[in-house]
Amino acid sequence: MSRRHRWDTDCVMAASTSPPLDLSAALVLAPPTAAEWLVILPVVWCLILGALLVMMRRNVSLHPVIAIVGLAGLVGIDGLLLLEVIRNGPLTMVMGRWLPPFGIAFTADLTGALFALIAALVALAAGVFSIADINDSGRRYGFYPLLMVLMAGVTGAFMTGDVFNLYVWFEVLLISSFGLLVLGSEHEQIDGTVKYGFLNLVATTLFLVATGYLYAVFGTLNMADIARKAEGLRSNAPLMTLAGLYTLAFGMKAAAFPVNFWLPASYHTPRVVVSALFAGLLTKVGIYALIRVMVMLLPVEREELSFVLAIAASLTMIVGVLGALAQSDFRRLLGFLIISGIGSILAGIAVGGPGGIGGAIFYALHSMLVMTALYFASGIAMRLGASASIVTLAGLYRRHVGFAALSLMLCFAVSGLPPFSGFWPKVMLVKAALDIGAWWLAAVLLLAGFLTTIATGRLFLLAYWREQAVAVGETPPLPAATLAPLAALTLLTLVLGLYPEPLLATIQDAAAGLDDPSAYRESVFPGGWPQ
Amino acid sequence: MRSVIFRTVAPFLTGLMMLFSVFVLLRGHNEPGGGFIGGLIAVSALAIYGIAHGVQTVRRAIYFHPMTIAGAGLFAASIAGIVSLAAGVPFMTGLWIYPSLLGVEVPLSTVMLFDTGVYLVVVGAISSIALSLEERGGE
């Protein structure tokens, strides 16, 4: 205690003799605006609600209510944030008021805000679906707290402006995803979780290795700072190695060929709502990180790697859709369709330019909505037909016409047929590929779309249209909590397909902002670069 | 394991280690220590008590479920960040108050609240794992 006092008096004496400290060289002195709080609020909101839900162990019956209200609030906050970013450009808040690049910056640009909003919508839909899918024991295992912490991780990953912080949010979402995967503790689920966990930990380790290397090369982890310094370091720093490591790490997270096999091995084992959440969120976080690092931070290296990326994209598309054609389990089939979609997004990243990147972002957002909805459909089909295999499922069309219609719309959407949301990104990607002369990539995109149509057609033919061979009893009634989120997401893809202009304009601005991150940099370093 | 000597010493050892863990937590502001390592010491204390006197005794002694403790810690850490909203400074800025307790000035800060949150998260999460392992392994 006495030493502390001496230290304090030393400081006071030093301060009184030396000239007054210029705090503005180290700290952000301007009070943050309300809009800037919107950058950090979604993450803190999810964490606080998750913590409250963990503490409410006795009242698990209240969990769904709080979680759904909380997720609706998250949609509201993310919506406000997106509006604010559209109006005033990227927003930044630095943690603990330390100036970047030393303070950790949270920066929301159009890309991050768009991903965050769609992720929140998907989570809200999953929250509603879970009322019917998660029973009392699932609630006691902690489904809702894990869901909120997962959303904190996902939103944090979309908002952060610091590469190491991005790694931390990946860990947060990974750990909660482990918890969600083993919910139920069945043998198959543990098997799936081990495969998922092992492969993802390898990818995370690669990500960490790459980040350590990045720090050794750049001496900074702030994204805006890295984007600035990359130009000067390009001649003698091993940036291609960094780009290669990041591509492999994020490619693994996104389930790109040849590191895609963990996804179909694990996504069909957990509860339906958990697979739906993962289909909408997890691989897309990998894609987002790939776009952020390769397009904004290392654009020249992306250009160099574009041929490799294009090959990987083509193989991912074809392997994914061939896998979907061969599967008979409803959810495994959908798992392969996710992989095929990831291939299309990678094709956009490989092509680059506003068309390619815009197409990739649009496709990713579309895929989040549609894949989640399709997993909901698989859950409803399992309820109606009491089977998970499309060989034994039959006659769903007769059992519930409205559900069959919604499913057909989703099949069209995932195949990229008009008038649904999958059509426009496909057009953008094919056009961007043709513009740079990569006709073969455009051909693969179209072929993958055609094969997806066949795969979903086979699904619809077998599970929905085929007459039931044996007579079955009464159709079990469908809870509104399962149909409503399915209908809402399907309606959203229809609206986005019929009236894509506002989203398209925003996505083009987002792609332009990644291509030329000067607005992003200006938001992190408002007074120019630190000395 | 459960010898008379161990069972007699364990409560004293547990009490001492608990006290030491709080000391390490508070010391962590300017010197080596902090919430994480303090929490680990506290969990070791609970584990020793559990090995000596059984898991049920520990569960009764800590009163709250370990996960509730972890949740409270996460809540405290988040609140420590959000206090900045009221003070008009960016998220997670360290804020200090100096109340006078019995004539002694006690510096309290949001940093300390955050570190206490970390301490509780570690105590809750690790003791939850340790207690259930002990429960299944012992019998």
Side-chain angles (χ1 to χ4, degrees), chain A residues 415-427:
Chain A
S415 314
L417 299 175
F420 301 99
S421 60
F423 177 65
W424 302 106
K426 267 261 151 75
V427 171

Side-chain angles (χ1 to χ4, degrees), chain A residues 71-128:
Chain A
L71 289 169
L74 183 66
V75 171
I77 298 171
D78 282 339
L80 277 178
L81 176 67
L82 180 63
L83 282 180
E84 201 53 47
V85 174
I86 289 175
R87 221 175 294 146
N88 299 328
L91 287 168
T92 297
M93 174 172 270
V94 281
M95 304 299 106
R97 82 202 284 205
W98 299 105
L99 276 178
F102 305 107
I104 291 170
F106 259 52
T107 307
D109 66 348
L110 274 176
T111 316
L114 271 171
F115 271 93
L117 177 61
I118 301 289
L121 280 171
V122 163
L124 177 61
V128 175

Side-chain angles (χ1 to χ4, degrees), chain A residues 442-481:
Chain A
V444 173
L445 273 164
L446 292 175
L447 178 68
F450 176 64
L451 290 175
T452 312
T453 317
I454 295 180
T456 54
R458 170 172 166 269
L459 165 72
F460 200 79
L461 190 68
L462 290 178
Y464 291 78
W465 260 348
R466 187 164 50 139
E467 285 293 333
Q468 193 112 30
V470 281
V472 282
E474 273 301 290
T475 307
L478 275 185

Side-chain angles (χ1 to χ4, degrees), chain A residues 146-412:
Chain A
L146 286 168
L147 172 63
M148 294 314 291
V149 178
L150 179 81
M151 283 318 290
V154 168
T155 318
F158 291 147
M159 296 293 166
T160 186
D162 182 283
V163 180
F164 185 74
N165 203 235
L166 179 66
Y167 165 81
V168 174
W169 293 118
F170 263 97
E171 286 285 280
V172 170
L173 73 89
L174 205 59
I175 293 202
S176 29
S177 73
F178 291 159
L180 288 171
L181 265 177
V182 288
L183 210 75
S185 304
E186 285 161 28
H187 177 75
E188 276 184 353
Q189 294 178 327
I190 293 171
D191 179 69
T193 310
V194 169
K195 288 171 186 159
Y196 169 89
F198 181 72
L199 261 296
N200 268 288
L201 286 178
V202 171
T204 311
T205 310
L206 263 177
F207 180 13
L208 187 61
V209 168
T211 304
Y213 200 17
L214 177 98
Y215 188 60
V217 170
F218 282 85
T220 178
L221 291 165
N222 184 289
M223 290 183 185
D225 210 24
I226 292 169
R228 172 184 72 118
K229 286 188 174 160
E231 201 52 56
L233 286 168
R234 198 151 271 137
S235 53
N236 50 13
L239 298 192
M240 275 309 286
T241 315
L242 281 176
L245 278 172
Y246 275 122
T247 308
L248 185 57
F250 294 141
M252 228 163 172
K253 295 270 179 202
F257 183 82
V259 277
N260 59 347
F261 40 88
W262 59 268
L263 193 151
S266 60
Y267 271 27
H268 65 290
T269 55
R271 302 292 169 105
V272 171
V273 60
V274 175
S275 341
L277 262 175
F278 286 13
L281 301 178
L282 296 194
T283 49
K284 306 308 181 291
V285 180
I287 282 294
Y288 165 83
L290 192 63
I291 292 178
R292 179 65 77 198
V293 169
M294 295 303 284
V295 178
M296 194 175 98
L297 304 187
L298 303 166
V300 177
E301 286 69 25
R302 184 204 60 76
E303 193 78 48
E304 288 288 323
L305 276 177
S306 71
F307 186 68
V308 180
L309 277 172
I311 299 282
S314 308
L315 287 171
T316 310
M317 277 187 266
I318 297 301
V319 166
V321 75
L322 288 183
L325 275 171
Q327 289 302 323
S328 58
D329 184 291
F330 202 144
R331 282 201 279 173
R332 278 181 84 97
L333 189 157
L334 294 181
F336 279 101
L337 286 184
I338 300 180
I339 295 175
S340 180
I342 293 294
S344 307
I345 302 169
L346 276 182
I349 299 175
V351 170
I357 303 302
I361 295 174
F362 198 159
Y363 200 102
L365 299 177
H366 142 80
S367 178
M368 287 164 94
L369 294 173
V370 171
M371 289 318 303
T372 306
L374 273 170
Y375 271 97
F376 289 162
S378 77
I380 299 174
M382 277 190 267
R383 269 170 192 271
L384 284 177
S387 165
S389 163
I390 58 172
V391 178
T392 45
L393 273 177
L396 290 176
Y397 183 77
R398 251 182 213 293
R399 281 163 174 258
H400 203 300
V401 180
F403 165 61
L406 289 173
S407 304
L408 185 62
M409 285 158 83
L410 288 171
C411 289
F412 274 34

Side-chain angles (χ1 to χ4, degrees), chain A residues 1 3-4 7 28 30-32 37 40-41 44 47-48 50-52 54-58 93-97 149, chain B residues 29-31 65 67-68 70-72 74-75 78-79 81-82 84-86 88-94 96 105 107:
Chain A
M1 201 62 204
R3 212 172 60 201
R4 256 308 284 289
W7 185 80
V28 178
W37 275 98
I40 190 73
L41 211 55
V44 187
L47 276 181
I48 288 182
L52 280 177
V54 172
M55 285 192 278
M56 291 174 50
R57 295 180 54 83
R58 298 273 157 88
M93 174 172 270
V94 281
M95 304 299 106
R97 82 202 284 205
V149 178
Chain B
H29 189 71
N30 279 330
E31 283 163 287
H65 190 277
M67 285 317 288
T68 309
L74 184 60
F75 187 73
S78 314
I79 292 299
I82 213 80
S84 314
L85 182 59
V89 285
F91 187 64
M92 288 228 160
T93 304
W96 293 79
E105 194 187 67

